[in-house]
């Protein structure tokens, strides 16, 4: 887990789960799953591959608490097994770091490309930073395998969607890879509901008076000051969620009068 708000803000990402030790990595190679193109714009300043499979780099625009915009490059894919990632920026650099550095990624360089291995027990969030410059950083979301669409789920397929999402009692909402929803997610006065998938929502997430609900795998940006606010809830689970923001007072996950809940 990225430690502390200061470090989280610097990397522009809030680590919402514990990253397992790299030292128990498997030698099994990955089955890499690429995501459909989303409506988010392409980035051409980085090239990314995972086990030789080209991964699209897209632009995610964050809005900080001053109202300023910040464009960040993001590449995402799913895999099962360990995976060798290669990143090539279109600018020259002296050295590269892979965050979180405390997990000891071994980075090799060939020409203007850097490569490193993500082991099978470390699916999560990685930042590749060049020359210790936050503005020269690539955000990499290396996800667990994409879940199947549950029967009866409300599905947001790949493409652009607008409007707030109100999750119903007992309902599963599925944000498919490549989906981008501009609006908040609201989970209020419900139980046994889920929001899952690999899509993006551009807004905030409000959880109030819920029982045994879950968020799993989705991506969030353009968030409010309280990015994920949980109030008067019990048994809430947040797994493998990614939040991108910058600036002060971006709390990540705010638990208020909420118990028997977990974030990983």
């Amino acid at each position: 887990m990225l430690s502390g708000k200061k470090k989280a803000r610097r990397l522009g990402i809030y680590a919402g789960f514990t990253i397992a030790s790299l030292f128990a990595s498997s030698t099994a190679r990955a089955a890499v799953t690429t995501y459909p193109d989303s409506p988010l714009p392409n980035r051409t300043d980085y090239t990314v591959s995972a086990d030789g499979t080209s991964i699209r780099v897209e632009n995610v625009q964050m809005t900080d608490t001053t109202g300023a915009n910040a464009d960040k490059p993001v590449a995402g894919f799913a895999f099962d097994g360990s995976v060798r990632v290669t990143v090539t920026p279109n600018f020259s650099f002296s050295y590269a770091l892979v965050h979180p550095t405390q997990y000891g990624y071994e980075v090799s360089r060939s020409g203007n490309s850097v490569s490193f291995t993500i082991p099978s027990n470390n699916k999560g969030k990685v930042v590749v930073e060049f020359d210790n410059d936050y503005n020269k950083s690539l955000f990499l979301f290396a996800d667990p395998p994409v879940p199947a669409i549950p029967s009866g789920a409300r599905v947001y397929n790949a493409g652009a969607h607008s409007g707030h999402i109100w999750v119903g009692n007992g309902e599963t909402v599925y944000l498919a890879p490549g989906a981008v929803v501009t609006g908040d997610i609201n989970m209020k006065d419900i139980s046994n509901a889920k929001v899952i998938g690999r899509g993006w929502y551009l807004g905030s997430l409000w959880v109030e008076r819920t029982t045994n609900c879950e968020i799993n795998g989705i991506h969030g940006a353009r968030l409010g000051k309280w990015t994920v606010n949980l109030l008067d809830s019990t048994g809430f689970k947040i797994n493998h969620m990614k939040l991108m923001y910058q600036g002060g007072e971006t709390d990540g996950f705010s638990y208020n009068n909420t118990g028997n809940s977990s974030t990983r």
Side-chain angles (χ1 to χ4, degrees), residues 126-198:
V126 171
V127 178
V128 185
E129 183 180 63
F130 295 90
D131 292 338
N132 198 32
D133 185 346
Y134 167 69
N135 293 311
K136 296 180 180 179
S137 296
L138 171 78
F139 297 81
L140 185 67
F141 296 159
D143 295 324
V146 179
I149 301 175
S151 176
R154 181 178 9 149
V155 179
Y156 289 79
N157 288 312
H161 308 268
S162 61
H164 301 315
I165 296 175
W166 290 86
V167 183
N169 190 57
E171 184 180 28
T172 295
V173 174
Y174 187 91
L175 304 187
V180 178
V181 179
T182 302
D184 295 346
I185 296 177
N186 297 277
M187 304 178 76
K188 298 183 179 182
D189 299 300
I190 58 175
S191 61
N192 302 309
K194 297 180 180 180
V195 181
I196 65 175
R198 297 290 183 270

Side-chain angles (χ1 to χ4, degrees), residues 84-254:
R84 186 73 173 170
V85 175
T86 299
V87 178
T88 306
N90 70 354
F91 51 83
S92 60
F93 64 94
S94 297
Y95 65 94
L97 294 174
V98 178
H99 297 274
T101 56
Q102 62 263 41
Y103 295 106
Y105 290 100
E106 294 185 4
V107 181
S108 63
R109 179 171 183 172
S110 177
N112 213 49
S113 299
V114 294
S115 299
F116 56 95
T117 296
I118 301 177
S120 60
N121 58 357
N122 186 34
K123 296 175 176 66
K125 314 172 188 67
V126 171
V127 178
V128 185
E129 183 180 63
F130 295 90
D131 292 338
N132 198 32
D133 185 346
Y134 167 69
N135 293 311
K136 296 180 180 179
S137 296
L138 171 78
F139 297 81
L140 185 67
F141 296 159
D143 295 324
V146 179
I149 301 175
S151 176
R154 181 178 9 149
V155 179
Y156 289 79
N157 288 312
H161 308 268
S162 61
H164 301 315
I165 296 175
W166 290 86
V167 183
N169 190 57
E171 184 180 28
T172 295
V173 174
Y174 187 91
L175 304 187
V180 178
V181 179
T182 302
D184 295 346
I185 296 177
N186 297 277
M187 304 178 76
K188 298 183 179 182
D189 299 300
I190 58 175
S191 61
N192 302 309
K194 297 180 180 180
V195 181
I196 65 175
R198 297 290 183 270
W200 285 90
Y201 75 97
L202 308 180
S204 292
L205 197 157
W206 300 96
V207 177
E208 298 180 14
R209 300 174 298 279
T210 67
T211 303
N212 298 330
C213 292
E214 181 180 349
I215 298 289
N216 194 316
I218 63 174
H219 308 162
R222 298 187 195 171
L223 310 162
K225 288 188 176 183
W226 284 14
T227 54
V228 177
N229 182 46
L230 298 98
L231 176 66
D232 297 334
S233 296
T234 185
F236 202 94
K237 296 180 180 178
I238 300 174
N239 296 321
H240 298 293
M241 189 179 185
K242 297 90 177 171
L243 303 178
M244 295 191 68
Y245 59 83
Q246 71 177 26
E249 299 184 32
T250 43
D251 289 343
F253 304 102
S254 297

